Amino acid sequence: MIRDICKDVIFLAQKAQPALPEDRSVAADLLETLEHHKDGCVGMAANMIGVNKRIIAFDNEGSYMVMYNPEILKKSGPYDTEEGCLSLTGVRPVKRWKSIKVRWQNEEFQPRIKTFTGWTAQIIQHEIDHCEGIII
């Protein structure tokens, strides 16, 4: 189901609760909402659709990927950039990392670890910020 985009900064500033297997329907809604906004959006976190769970979905080099309970383990190559967000108006300056090592759970809630670089790494960092309640 395509959900409305949450713009409530008080809600967005909350740290997300861990995702559980019963939250798979939230991920499905997140993917459908992301695809609906594909012309102006490359990633979303569950709080952007009004659900306070640690789930992100993003464009991973041409196909969508979902991460449950993602966390950054290692980062390198800092740089400054600007980002926009469907939940917030305008663009804001932000510090990002060229390379990040991420631990998450897949759709079967199996643990995964992978290093992401470049644009994909930037998208993931933005969405994990949402999970942490960080409003850039």
Side-chain angles (χ1 to χ4, degrees):
M1 172 175 57
I2 297 169
R3 302 249 198 133
D4 291 336
I5 302 299
C6 176
K7 297 178 183 281
D8 180 349
V9 293
I10 294 171
F11 180 79
L12 294 169
Q14 296 177 47
K15 190 168 181 168
Q17 297 297 311
L20 304 169
E22 54 264 29
D23 295 319
R24 287 185 179 107
S25 63
V26 173
D29 289 353
L30 192 59
L31 279 170
E32 196 170 340
T33 306
L34 175 57
E35 191 168 337
H36 178 75
H37 291 281
K38 66 183 174 189
D39 290 340
C41 184
V42 292
M44 297 184 81
N47 66 353
M48 294 177 65
I49 60 169
V51 180
N52 190 25
K53 288 290 184 164
R54 196 170 182 89
I55 307 169
I56 67 172
F58 58 95
D59 181 341
N60 183 25
E61 300 179 2
S63 63
Y64 290 120
M65 182 172 182
V66 172
M67 291 180 170
Y68 295 90
N69 303 310
E71 60 179 316
I72 297 172
L73 301 175
K74 186 177 177 183
K75 49 194 175 186
S76 64
Y79 66 97
D80 294 319
T81 188
E82 291 183 333
E83 295 174 354
C85 181
L86 288 181
S87 290
L88 306 166
T89 56
V91 293
R92 287 151 306 284
V94 64
K95 180 180 184 176
R96 293 292 180 220
W97 304 88
K98 293 177 186 172
S99 177
I100 57 171
K101 185 175 190 177
V102 182
R103 177 174 46 214
W104 77 97
Q105 292 167 305
N106 67 9
E107 291 84 359
E108 303 304 318
F109 280 78
Q110 299 164 321
R112 296 289 183 254
I113 296 176
K114 182 178 176 180
T115 298
F116 295 88
T117 60
W119 178 235
T120 304
Q122 184 175 337
I123 298 167
I124 294 168
Q125 290 170 81
H126 180 102
E127 304 316 330
I128 289 178
D129 277 357
H130 274 291
C131 293
E132 296 296 332
I134 297 169
I135 298 175
I136 57 153

